[in-house]
Amino acid sequence: MIIDLTPPELHLVEDVFYDVDFDIIAVYYKASDPESGIKHTDFGLGETKHDVFIRGYSRHEPIYDGYEMITVDDVDLPQGIPLWIRIRPMNNVDLFVAGHGRQPIMVDHSPPIAGDVWDGDDLNNINYQPYDDSICAQWPKWADPESGIQSYIWTVRDVINDTVIGEK
């Protein structure tokens, strides 16, 4: 018989993936307990790193694939609120350690606030330009207060021939 008086070690919460269409979250983490092993991991969501006020702990069996991973179905994450992932690996003698993700996550279904789109430089909107090998465009006043704007996609189209000239 092995006597285990030490809780597991939680080395890090590596990554979090959320699928909004299937309402499933996956949490990758690294935990160990050399004495009695990891029995299960609890998952919760908090307003801060230190609580589970948004979603209390629920028990999940870890999946091992290089890192430990748990998946949680029907998470029903509220939109527009920063949420902290909390996990609690528990060993086979019911000792546990709790930890959190590196940063909060947030679900944002809202579109960005549309601003202006101008073709031309120096904040001048033009209808014609003398260049056939470049175009200058600006889009002031676009914003997304919840999650920010990560990138833009633009297309230049020849309306006469209905063809795409460039896309980025």
Side-chain angles (χ1 to χ4, degrees):
M1 174 191 300
I2 297 174
I3 297 174
D4 183 357
L5 301 175
T6 61
E9 291 182 39
L10 178 58
H11 306 286
L12 75 137
V13 177
E14 177 65 23
D15 224 338
V16 177
F17 295 98
Y18 176 62
D19 187 317
V20 67
D21 296 321
F22 293 102
D23 196 24
I24 295 174
I25 197 164
V27 180
Y28 290 85
Y29 60 97
K30 196 72 163 170
S32 62
D33 190 310
E35 287 84 19
S36 65
I38 304 293
K39 179 168 54 175
H40 56 256
T41 300
D42 296 335
F43 168 86
L45 291 171
E47 296 173 345
T48 72
K49 298 176 188 182
H50 311 290
D51 69 72
V52 289
F53 294 147
I54 302 295
R55 179 185 171 126
Y57 283 118
S58 57
R59 204 145 273 176
H60 302 275
E61 295 300 317
I63 301 166
Y64 298 96
D65 185 21
Y67 282 91
E68 290 83 3
M69 177 186 78
I70 55 170
T71 59
V72 184
D73 298 333
D74 303 320
V75 198
D76 194 27
L77 297 179
Q79 180 175 313
I81 301 170
L83 305 168
W84 284 92
I85 301 290
R86 296 276 305 160
I87 64 168
R88 239 180 13 186
M90 186 173 292
N91 66 15
N92 283 292
V93 292
D94 294 332
L95 299 174
F96 62 86
V97 62
H100 55 80
R102 290 185 226 169
Q103 60 189 24
I105 62 170
M106 183 169 47
V107 176
D108 180 10
H109 295 294
S110 65
I113 298 167
D116 300 319
V117 177
W118 296 336
D119 50 351
D121 56 359
D122 296 327
L123 298 179
N124 294 315
N125 196 20
I126 59 174
N127 292 324
Y128 304 97
Q129 74 170 22
Y131 313 109
D132 63 359
D133 63 346
S134 65
I135 187 166
C136 184
Q138 300 167 57
W139 38 89
K141 301 179 187 169
W142 285 75
D144 192 325
E146 288 85 14
S147 58
I149 296 177
Q150 179 179 355
S151 62
Y152 295 89
I153 298 173
W154 56 264
T155 302
V156 177
R157 179 177 287 281
D158 177 343
V159 292
I160 296 171
N161 296 315
D162 195 29
T163 57
V164 173
I165 298 170
E167 196 167 73
K168 185 80 168 168

